[in-house]
Amino acid sequence: MSSTVSVDSLWTRALRVLPGGVDSPVRSFRSVGGQPFFVARGDGAYLWDTDGRRYIDYVLSWGPLILGHAHPAVVAAVAAQLERGTSYGAPTPGEVELAERIIQLMPGIEMVRFVNSGTEATMTALRLARAATRRERLVKFTGAYHGHADSFLVAAGSGVATLGLPDSPGVPAALAALTSVVPFNDLTAVEDLFRRSGDSVAAVIVEPVLGNAGLILPQPGFLEGLRRVTRAHGSLLIFDEVMTGFRVAMGGAQARYGIEPDLTTLGKVIGGGLPVGAVGGRRDLMERLAPSGPVYQAGTLSGNPLAMAAGCAQLDVLAETNPFPALERRAERLVSGLVHAFHGAGLPATGCAVGSMWGVYLREGPVHNFEEAKQSDVQAFARFHRACLDRGVFFAPSPFEAGFVATAHTDQDIDATIAAARAALAS
Ligand code: HOZ
């Protein structure tokens, strides 16, 4: 595979052989216009495309790379495992070691099942919740994204929101009807729903910080309220921490906000950039999974040794260095610089950061839910995105995705980004 082929010719070829030219919809740049670049390599905070252009990267593989690209500790761990083989379909020490680290760090997790993606993790968590409660209804929040399994593709965020799709054809109506949707941060709506039909609710699934509709923080009392209501009605609370796990704090959102969910889904950071997902939670629930219990779930590449090695290495660096306060300061500085740049250009803007996640909306005032997020000026965002790309800054090609910072970003990178944003807005 060559890394010197021009972006234009690769895009033409990609469109011929990959639907939309990509393997995941938001990568296509559909909502921001233009065509995506093709990556030749990544190092630290930077990506280089196949035409040799460098970008300061705030996508970071959509979250996994909290240490940046090709961190030496992760590369060494993967290389050492590579020498010993790539997959065995049999237990390896790495699975036990990564599970032990996660259990030690995440308050709500007593056992872990590794899978290959966040989608598999949420599918498994929902099946467990339905089996444990003998109920079928799922409650989710508008604009939240929990992967692309049928039950979750209802009023979903991420690529679904980015492309303005209603929901997906191919999802059986009967299954979608079992998913109830309420606005994020609206505890009253959740309480009303539970008053009406709480006895049928197997689980409430929530991104504790909504990261697939831009970035929306939980209002004080919201997560506590979800914990209280679900407990009172015998339903389970699932924290989808695929994004927030080891990103908003070492122990994820559950440690940061002090709420113990019944089940947690993980991905991204725990695989150090290799394909991984996990579901974890209370022992009595997790032991319902086959072969301990009857709830079936399986996978040829689950607990893949390369992913386990990368995940252990990345978590070890995080545990040794505790970069979260510094990451949050850097993310806050970036957000405040960008918001000032927009204001300076006469555009409305607001934003926030938590841990290493951040988001900016092109509208005034705080954003509490997806309805408010959608009031962001998406046309202006698209122009801004393109102009920043031209100046060597890669933001997520969607107004409805969180941004990330890595330990590899320096204050100089943040300053250069803000300067590029100002220049982009001046143009
Ligand atoms: N749904 C992912 C972000 N929230 C997108 C992943 C990708 O396109 O790689």
Side-chain angles (χ1 to χ4, degrees):
M1 279 184 287
S2 165
S3 62
T4 53
V5 188
S6 91
V7 169
D8 285 347
S9 94
L10 275 168
W11 186 233
T12 308
R13 284 164 57 197
L15 285 168
R16 236 179 266 133
V17 293
L18 306 168
V22 290
D23 283 310
S24 191
V26 280
R27 295 180 198 178
S28 69
F29 282 29
R30 280 272 166 101
S31 76
V32 291
Q35 66 185 53
F37 58 87
F38 284 76
V39 177
R41 70 186 179 95
D43 186 11
Y46 312 118
L47 282 179
W48 283 263
D49 72 16
T50 48
D51 287 343
R53 277 189 290 264
R54 193 194 83 162
Y55 304 89
I56 305 176
D57 183 14
Y58 293 99
V59 178
L60 296 167
S61 188
W62 303 93
L65 305 179
I66 192 164
L67 305 177
H69 293 274
H71 187 279
V74 176
V75 170
V78 173
Q81 175 56 45
L82 202 50
E83 298 268 318
R84 301 192 291 267
T86 54
S87 180
Y88 316 111
T92 62
E95 295 159 67
V96 183
E97 285 165 18
L98 187 54
E100 285 172 351
R101 283 165 172 77
I102 291 170
I103 290 164
Q104 196 197 343
L105 293 164
M106 289 232 154
I109 300 189
E110 292 176 327
M111 295 188 97
V112 178
R113 164 67 52 92
F114 289 110
V115 292
N116 294 295
S117 68
T119 292
E120 277 186 62
T122 55
M123 275 168 59
T124 306
L126 177 57
R127 184 171 302 149
L128 261 180
R130 284 177 165 154
T133 58
R134 297 192 194 158
R135 300 171 180 180
E136 294 191 336
R137 181 152 300 283
L138 171 72
V139 178
K140 76 176 282 285
F141 296 92
T142 320
Y145 180 75
H146 304 288
H148 60 275
D150 288 349
S151 294
F152 302 105
L153 280 188
V154 183
S158 188
V160 185
T162 303
L163 299 176
L165 302 172
D167 289 311
S168 180
V171 173
L175 198 55
L178 291 176
T179 301
S180 297
V181 183
V182 274
F184 189 68
N185 273 326
D186 190 344
L187 192 55
T188 307
V190 177
E191 286 167 342
D192 285 350
L193 190 148
F194 267 87
R195 246 190 307 278
R196 287 195 312 276
S197 50
D199 292 353
S200 67
V201 175
V204 173
I205 187 164
V206 65
E207 293 180 73
V209 175
L210 191 46
N212 280 287
L215 189 79
I216 307 179
L217 300 178
Q219 291 297 103
F222 175 64
L223 297 174
E224 290 83 348
L226 296 183
R227 181 62 287 181
R228 193 177 57 247
V229 175
T230 46
R231 210 166 256 154
H233 288 267
S235 307
L236 300 187
L237 180 61
I238 306 171
F239 268 17
D240 182 346
E241 296 228 47
V242 168
M243 274 202 188
T244 54
F246 305 99
R247 268 247 168 233
V248 300
M250 197 61 208
Q254 53 198 267
R256 181 162 182 139
Y257 297 108
I259 316 282
E260 273 190 33
D262 301 295
L263 292 170
T264 301
T265 54
L266 295 169
K268 301 198 191 264
V269 168
I270 63 160
L274 277 89
V276 83
V279 54
R282 278 171 25 204
R283 181 175 298 278
D284 63 300
L285 294 171
M286 293 300 294
E287 285 191 331
R288 291 169 187 267
L289 277 177
S292 306
V295 180
Y296 201 71
Q297 188 284 326
T300 298
L301 291 170
S302 293
N304 176 266
L306 292 169
M308 300 296 105
C312 284
Q314 185 152 267
L315 292 193
D316 286 349
V317 173
L318 292 178
E320 280 155 24
T321 55
N322 184 23
F324 292 97
L327 284 167
E328 186 157 301
R329 275 196 299 278
R330 213 160 282 152
E332 277 170 351
R333 215 159 71 77
L334 177 64
V335 168
S336 114
L338 291 176
V339 168
H340 276 105
F342 282 116
H343 285 164
L347 287 167
T350 184
C352 63
V354 56
S356 54
M357 297 173 73
W358 61 271
V360 169
Y361 296 99
L362 300 193
R363 52 153 279 167
E364 285 304 339
V367 169
H368 305 100
N369 55 44
F370 187 49
E371 280 312 306
E372 291 173 2
K374 281 196 296 190
Q375 290 159 12
S376 194
D377 184 341
V378 295
Q379 313 288 340
F381 175 81
R383 290 192 297 276
F384 174 71
H385 184 273
R386 172 60 47 191
C388 286
L389 215 52
D390 290 344
R391 287 162 180 78
V393 176
F394 182 35
F395 293 129
S398 161
F400 302 122
E401 296 282 357
F404 301 98
V405 289
T407 56
H409 285 114
T410 61
D411 285 342
Q412 287 75 14
D413 291 324
I414 304 294
D415 291 342
T417 302
I418 295 166
R422 284 184 195 282
L425 287 162
S427 74

